[in-house]
Amino acid sequence: MAELAYWEAIRRAHDEELANDPMVLAMGEDIGVVGGTYKATSGLYQKYGDKRIIDTPISENSFTGIGIGASMAGLRPIIEIMSINFALLALDTLVNAAAKIRYMSGGRVSCPIVMRTPGGTAHQLAAQHSARLARVFMSTSGLRVVTPRGAMEACGMLKSAVRCNDPVIFIEHERMYNLREQVPDTEYFRPLEGAEIVRKGTDITLIGYNWSFLLCMKAADMLERDGISAEVVDLRSLKPLDRETIRRSVEKTHRVLVAEEDEAAVGVGSEIISVIIEDCFFALDSQPVRIHAADVPVPYAANLEHAAIPDEHDVYQGALKALGRI
Amino acid sequence: MQRKLAWQFLYDMTLARQFEQAAAEQYTQGNIGGFLHLYPGEEAVAVASLHAAEASDYVVSTYREHVHALVRGVRPAAVMAELFGKATGCSGGYGGSMHLYDAEHRFLGGYAIVGETFAIAAGVGYWLRMNDLTHVVLCYFGDGAVNQGTFHESLNMAALWKLPVLFVCENNRYQIGTEIHRHSAVPEVYRRASAYGIDSRRVDGMDVVAVYEATRAALQHVRAGNGPYLLECETYRYRGHSMADSGAYRSALELAELRARDPLDGFRERALAEGWLVAADCDEIDSEIDRVVADAVRFAADSPQPTDLGASVYREPLDLYGGRP
């Protein structure tokens, strides 16, 4: 086992998959000579050359489209979009092309791309660099959406995503790139589907994904000090969604909270709670709680940014509310 | 010109004309739904350019792509069945008129988002270049598509990376109902390629021989490793943008002028005058096409509907790599 930072885990997955299959390539802005804004492809340009590690112009819609076209012919592109905000420029080709080509060709043509992008608020990046948008991709039929919670998942899921023949949206988080975790030295894969109960508990289920999962874990520690046993579920894959694991956990704990960093409307939390109401309404002992961002564009001022985005204390307070303690 | 090629031109242009006519009839009878964009008037472009290409070349097209698929070799019955939304269609009934696919014929789709084809074609080109293959991607688009950002973004990258893409503009003068002088500051589409150092030319798209020769030269340029090329074919569609559009924004005089230069009639007359074909060939082709198109309609009508709603959303089974978490 070695301790890797999240970015190092992503870099390792790139390296292993580029070495494994000559059809794998990586493309994006500043990923080659510079090695990527978050270093996720550092050193790979020197190792694999400019044909397979492609520095693209700032043309998100078309370089993503080029990746999609290349994948239809036989390549397996890992497309980095520097910030999920910029992915809005590529939504046409991701939603209208990648998500639909396999289906509208009756299964005759596939688009095995991975689109990697950091989504989330970091430190005062302001409104146009702080989007989350997981809900946008989650609501698009034909895409897979995965959200690795740490280095272990990031490396194993990215390798699976590269080998998957469906288009995969791989959502990272700016604040997670330097988080470290033990990762096996030998090659391994992590599945692209299925939620995971990472911490077992009996009194309440806390549900999150990537950053918001980490908030749930911290809140579970706080609740434990109050004598409350929280179960924590990492959704891992937002699409397809693992309804079964969610149902099993809620039927055990009878109380549930969903945490997300995005705004609430038509979001991950509203979807998960709808699923719970459909699948196990009568298992609930109290109303579900959503923890989410304030309904504002993310402000620049540090204090306001902090106020806009949920943290572990918000999750803790929300859990107490679900438990009827406040 | 060789008799064989002349025969192919006349055969495919006649097929194109009659197939689209039959599609229009089936649409009015309610057997074809949605939007239906037809090709009459533009036949010379698809027929000539695709005959100039090799079977190993790739094709990416727009939503007005029935004829590109037919000339490429997709069976007329499979195209008509797709328009009918039947399981035997070339996209299994999941795509419809605007989304024809046939991987075997390297026909990588019709796209209904104007301008979406540029990047997809460039991406296929990237695959070819990375693998040092000498095939070319033919990317079809209309005059309306050149004002999308993707046109400029993709031409830039195609030129930057010397991708083997032949951009074929079917300039039929109208983006839906807006005439080119009202939608483009530079109405000569081929001139725009110079912004990216891409060689280009304009050709009479109503003349199948001219388009064929221009395409051959363009393909040679691309195959020689010079990067992309843009060929603008000045053409015209006789019908409205789709079956939902009467085309009333155009004058009867304009339509008559273009019909007088009909690519199909013009080529038939020339082929007979030059001795490439004899009258019996034309009769044989006409009766053969009547049969092929009637068979295609019958096949489509008799075919079953698709039944599996979710079959092809994902290619992978649930427990992919490493089982359940």
Side-chain angles (χ1 to χ4, degrees):
Chain A
M1 299 284 274
E3 195 180 71
L4 290 188
Y6 197 85
W7 71 266
E8 290 172 315
I10 292 166
R11 185 195 171 284
R12 174 174 145 185
H14 275 88
D15 195 5
E16 288 181 7
E17 291 307 299
L18 283 154
N20 171 66
D21 181 353
M23 292 297 106
V24 174
L25 58 81
M27 58 195 299
E29 293 153 5
D30 267 8
I31 71 153
V33 172
V34 172
T37 304
Y38 300 99
K39 299 187 282 189
T41 49
S42 55
L44 302 179
Y45 179 87
Q46 292 74 13
K47 188 168 175 183
Y48 296 102
D50 63 356
K51 291 257 191 327
R52 296 182 67 200
I53 308 294
I54 309 164
D55 279 317
T56 66
I58 299 175
S59 306
E60 282 85 2
N61 199 13
S62 291
F63 77 65
T64 304
I66 285 176
I68 291 165
S71 79
M72 292 162 67
L75 291 174
R76 308 190 79 85
I78 308 169
I79 302 160
E80 176 178 303
I81 293 187
M82 195 183 277
S83 156
I84 205 165
N85 294 264
F86 314 155
L88 287 172
L89 290 154
L91 270 191
D92 162 49
T93 197
L94 288 167
V95 173
N96 280 319
K100 296 180 172 52
I101 282 170
R102 179 169 165 74
Y103 192 78
M104 66 189 187
S105 71
R108 286 152 177 81
V109 177
S110 295
C111 291
I113 60 150
V114 182
M115 191 282 274
R116 288 180 44 241
T117 189
T121 54
H123 299 286
Q124 293 188 270
L125 299 184
Q128 291 191 334
H129 278 66
S130 301
R132 291 127 296 178
L133 296 178
R135 56 185 167 157
V136 172
F137 296 106
M138 183 189 188
S139 66
T140 302
S141 300
L143 297 177
R144 290 176 179 274
V145 183
V146 297
T147 54
R149 65 173 177 264
M152 170 83 180
E153 291 273 282
C155 178
M157 286 174 102
L158 182 53
K159 284 173 64 67
S160 296
V162 171
R163 297 192 188 197
C164 177
N165 286 308
D166 302 320
V168 180
I169 306 296
F170 193 93
I171 300 179
E172 301 159 12
H173 196 292
E174 271 103 331
R175 273 187 288 188
M176 292 172 71
Y177 284 113
N178 289 314
L179 299 182
R180 305 185 75 81
E181 195 176 37
Q182 292 288 323
V183 173
D185 296 325
T186 51
E187 183 178 43
Y188 70 97
F189 294 87
R190 293 288 295 154
L192 293 177
E193 292 190 12
E196 186 174 1
I197 296 170
V198 179
R199 176 178 174 139
K200 286 199 182 303
T202 52
D203 299 331
I204 183 170
T205 298
L206 309 179
I207 300 176
Y209 58 98
N210 75 17
W211 183 253
S212 65
F213 163 80
L214 300 178
L215 300 183
C216 290
M217 289 295 278
K218 288 179 190 168
D221 286 340
M222 295 159 75
L223 291 164
E224 190 174 27
R225 291 196 281 276
D226 294 344
I228 297 161
S229 163
E231 177 147 300
V232 183
V233 175
D234 176 13
L235 290 172
R236 299 182 72 258
S237 163
L238 299 182
K239 191 169 188 69
L241 195 62
D242 178 3
R243 299 173 71 126
E244 178 61 20
T245 298
I246 297 166
R247 183 185 62 76
R248 270 193 288 120
S249 181
V250 173
E251 284 181 346
K252 183 168 78 172
T253 65
H254 307 291
R255 295 173 197 273
V256 67
L257 171 149
V258 186
E260 66 194 306
E261 205 190 69
D262 209 344
E263 292 140 46
V266 203
V268 178
S270 43
E271 177 60 21
I272 300 298
I273 288 170
S274 298
V275 162
I276 290 167
I277 288 169
E278 285 173 341
D279 290 358
C280 52
F281 177 75
F282 291 105
L284 290 170
D285 282 349
S286 66
Q287 77 274 32
V289 171
R290 277 191 295 179
I291 299 299
H292 52 79
D295 188 9
V296 294
V298 176
Y300 168 72
N303 65 318
L304 293 182
E305 181 187 62
H306 183 72
I309 302 302
D311 63 12
E312 61 270 30
H313 299 286
D314 296 315
V315 177
Y316 171 69
Q317 292 293 324
L320 292 180
K321 186 178 155 201
L323 287 154
R325 302 281 186 102
I326 52 172
Chain B
M1 172 179 285
Q2 289 175 352
R3 172 183 155 77
K4 190 181 165 197
L5 189 60
W7 203 91
Q8 277 297 333
F9 282 175
L10 189 62
Y11 183 95
D12 279 344
M13 286 201 288
T14 309
L15 172 63
R17 185 68 56 90
Q18 298 306 328
F19 183 94
E20 296 289 67
Q21 182 57 37
E25 285 163 14
Q26 294 303 316
Y27 184 88
T28 29
Q29 289 174 28
N31 292 325
I32 296 172
F35 287 120
L36 186 70
H37 308 84
L38 300 175
Y39 205 62
E42 306 189 30
E43 292 92 345
V45 180
V47 171
S49 57
L50 288 168
H51 276 292
E54 304 289 335
S56 51
D57 292 332
Y58 287 81
V59 179
V60 177
S61 190
T62 67
Y63 48 83
R64 196 186 302 284
E65 89 287 32
H66 309 160
V67 174
H68 303 85
L70 293 172
V71 180
R72 195 61 187 164
V74 184
R75 289 186 310 117
V79 177
M80 190 62 83
E82 189 58 38
L83 307 192
F84 274 59
K86 296 299 183 72
T88 52
C90 61
S91 302
Y94 291 87
S97 161
M98 302 189 284
H99 308 299
L100 305 177
Y101 286 84
D102 188 331
E104 190 191 328
H105 289 94
R106 302 197 162 185
F107 192 83
L108 292 181
Y111 296 87
I113 306 298
V114 172
E116 192 159 66
T117 54
F118 300 118
I120 287 173
V124 178
Y126 196 90
W127 177 76
L128 293 171
R129 177 147 156 69
M130 196 170 130
N131 290 285
D132 293 322
L133 297 168
T134 56
H135 316 311
V136 174
V137 189
L138 285 91
C139 175
Y140 292 90
F141 58 99
D143 51 291
V146 303
N147 297 318
Q148 287 282 26
T150 50
F151 174 78
H152 301 277
E153 294 178 5
S154 300
L155 261 66
N156 175 52
M157 283 181 272
L160 185 67
W161 299 328
K162 287 198 179 316
L163 304 181
V165 183
L166 175 57
F167 294 102
V168 182
C169 180
E170 301 180 315
N171 180 355
N172 66 20
R173 301 192 192 182
Y174 290 86
Q175 63 160 43
I176 313 177
T178 303
E179 203 262 337
I180 191 163
H181 292 282
R182 296 178 58 234
H183 74 61
S184 279
V186 178
E188 302 87 6
V189 169
Y190 76 100
R191 283 179 58 205
R192 295 184 177 216
S194 66
Y196 304 101
I198 294 176
D199 286 346
S200 65
R201 67 166 287 200
R202 180 182 251 191
V203 65
D204 178 2
M206 306 301 271
D207 179 346
V208 68
V209 178
V211 175
Y212 180 75
E213 281 164 4
T215 310
R216 276 176 65 94
L219 285 168
Q220 232 165 26
H221 173 92
V222 177
R223 266 191 244 283
N226 296 307
Y229 191 95
L230 191 152
L231 183 65
E232 176 187 2
C233 305
E234 288 187 288
T235 184
Y236 200 76
R237 65 169 149 74
Y238 298 154
R239 290 179 168 271
H241 171 70
S242 72
M243 287 295 285
D245 168 28
S246 67
Y249 41 83
R250 305 177 302 184
S251 72
L253 183 64
E254 178 179 301
L255 197 57
E257 275 175 8
L258 270 298
R259 276 190 182 278
R261 298 176 48 220
D262 183 70
L264 178 53
D265 293 345
F267 180 71
R268 191 190 288 113
E269 282 165 27
R270 187 173 167 194
L272 292 171
E274 301 266 7
W276 299 332
L277 297 172
V278 295
D281 293 323
C282 303
D283 295 341
E284 191 190 331
I285 286 170
D286 284 343
S287 59
E288 168 78 2
I289 297 295
D290 282 348
R291 188 185 61 74
V292 166
V293 171
D295 284 353
V297 171
R298 196 174 312 114
F299 175 81
D302 292 346
S303 287
Q305 292 177 314
T307 52
D308 196 338
L309 182 63
S312 51
V313 176
Y314 296 128
R315 179 159 156 193
E316 298 295 346
L318 195 96
D319 293 326
L320 183 78
Y321 303 111
R324 311 275 312 167

